[in-house]
Amino acid sequence: MLNISHISKTFNPGTADSKLALDDLCLDVDDGEFITIIGANGAGKSTLFGAIAGSFFTDEGRITLDGEDITMMPEYLRARKIGRLFQDPMRGTAPGMTIEENLSLAAGHGGWLSMAGSGQKKEFREMLRQLEMGLEDRMKQPMGLLSGGQRQAVTLLMATINPPSLLLLDEHTAALDPAAADKVLAITEEVVKKDHLTCLMITHNMQSALKLGTRTLMMDAGRIILDVSGSERGSMKVEDLLERFKSISGKALDNDRMLLTSEKDS
Ligand SMILES: Nc1ncnc2c1ncn2[C@@H]1O[C@H](COP(=O)(O)OP(=O)(O)O)[C@@H](O)[C@H]1O
Ligand SMILES: [Mg+2]
């Protein structure tokens, strides 16, 4: 369970570039919830993830995870409980190391293959086979040779090989071509379901936001301005979301093509 209580964050305080990126934000997330997060560029979505993961300390407020106050916990310690994926498939893996070594590193073997037993190598092979990307026969190839979609799929395995308390996905399919994005989203759903993970997923895609998960948040100006779940969400269409955004924020969600098109034709 994640509890975020009244967190605020100002970047470059006291300067001309001062920016209030999180504004007294509160959020409670139950175990096993899969939440999608949408909002215009600059709304504070990635900053929210940074605050949760400990990339910086918030100016105010409190964050607890599984009952433990992590507000002042350094990022590297939070990383033991929090998995995080980014838009850029180059982040999060060691490109010069093989797939097998990357998985071994993620599993906690310090990256040295000699330390991953043959039993575990079999497990890696089976995990890769389930991706249905042919990677089970490429375990000795460097990560750097994989396509963006393949890398994000393996990064997803790495982030969940020891199931985290919380999985943060920050537009992890936005840099992929539509077919690869669909594939990685399908894998995401499976991985989250298999381990009953608690997951927050930022997406630029409104269709994905309504289709995946059980609850959708919309952010604007460092706040959560809409929080829908259950039957209300079930009957919602993209147009309804846009309409709700407009009526609450008093402005139209920026006409970013990515926000309006479906994953298939974006
Ligand atoms: N490290 C930083 N230093 C200064 N300003 C930042 C930093 N990170 C984010 N911001 C600013 O905070 C606001 C929110 O950014 P961000 O959380 O990245 O938005 P989103 O992910 O919703 O597009 C933006 O105005 C952005 O320019
Ligand atoms: Mg962002």
Side-chain angles (χ1 to χ4, degrees):
M1 171 134 187
L2 173 72
N3 305 95
I4 296 175
S5 175
H6 298 283
I7 59 167
S8 294
K9 177 67 186 177
T10 301
F11 289 111
N12 307 312
T15 73
D17 293 331
S18 173
K19 174 74 198 176
L20 178 62
L22 293 175
D23 183 7
D24 196 35
L25 183 145
C26 297
L27 175 67
D28 287 331
V29 180
D30 280 335
D31 286 340
E33 265 195 304
F34 184 169
I35 298 180
T36 59
I37 303 175
I38 54 180
N41 280 338
K45 305 179 297 296
S46 295
T47 303
L48 172 62
F49 279 14
I52 294 169
S55 305
F56 50 80
F57 294 139
T58 55
D59 305 325
E60 282 167 71
R62 217 168 94 101
I63 304 174
T64 65
L65 181 62
D66 296 341
E68 185 180 11
D69 190 332
I70 60 167
T71 313
M72 299 307 287
M73 185 186 279
E75 184 168 29
Y76 78 95
L77 287 178
R78 295 191 212 189
R80 293 177 186 170
K81 301 183 125 240
I82 300 174
R84 194 174 180 193
L85 262 73
F86 299 89
Q87 181 171 332
D88 180 2
M90 306 306 254
R91 270 176 95 160
T93 57
M97 285 165 60
T98 67
I99 297 176
E100 198 170 59
E101 286 165 343
N102 269 281
L103 287 169
S104 184
L105 183 66
H109 291 295
W112 299 108
L113 195 51
S114 55
M115 294 176 73
S118 60
Q120 185 147 41
K121 280 189 227 171
K122 255 192 196 151
E123 270 175 48
F124 292 165
R125 174 175 285 274
E126 179 54 23
M127 287 164 62
L128 290 165
R129 197 188 57 73
Q130 284 175 13
L131 297 178
E132 297 177 351
M133 289 176 154
L135 295 178
E136 65 274 20
D137 298 321
R138 298 176 61 184
M139 283 172 58
K140 302 235 183 285
Q141 290 186 12
M143 281 293 288
L145 291 183
L146 304 188
S147 70
Q150 291 169 336
R151 279 183 82 138
Q152 287 300 62
V154 175
T155 308
L156 206 45
L157 290 186
M158 289 171 64
T160 56
I161 200 161
N162 298 310
S165 292
L166 185 64
L167 180 63
L168 303 176
L169 306 173
D170 192 344
E171 304 205 39
H172 68 308
T173 64
L176 307 178
D177 67 70
D182 282 347
K183 175 78 183 160
V184 171
L185 281 181
I187 293 167
T188 301
E189 279 189 291
E190 271 171 36
V191 165
V192 168
K193 196 168 147 196
K194 178 170 76 70
D195 289 321
H196 308 287
L197 296 178
T198 309
C199 178
L200 304 184
M201 181 179 89
I202 298 170
T203 177
H204 64 285
N205 185 289
M206 306 278 257
Q207 270 90 1
S208 304
L210 287 175
K211 189 171 148 253
L212 273 74
T214 50
R215 180 177 169 194
T216 297
L217 308 178
M218 190 178 265
M219 286 188 66
D220 183 48
R223 293 166 169 268
I224 294 167
I225 61 164
L226 183 67
D227 183 347
V228 282
S229 55
S231 57
E232 184 190 15
R233 179 179 185 265
S235 62
M236 255 185 157
K237 297 196 168 37
V238 167
E239 299 74 51
D240 303 323
L241 262 187
L242 292 171
E243 196 46 52
R244 289 288 292 276
F245 180 87
K246 203 170 162 186
S247 69
I248 299 166
S249 72
K251 64 188 177 212
L253 191 53
D254 51 359
N255 251 352
D256 193 322
R257 185 182 62 91
M258 304 293 277
L259 289 166
L260 299 169
T261 53
S262 73
E263 202 74 63
K264 285 221 153 41
D265 51 32
S266 64

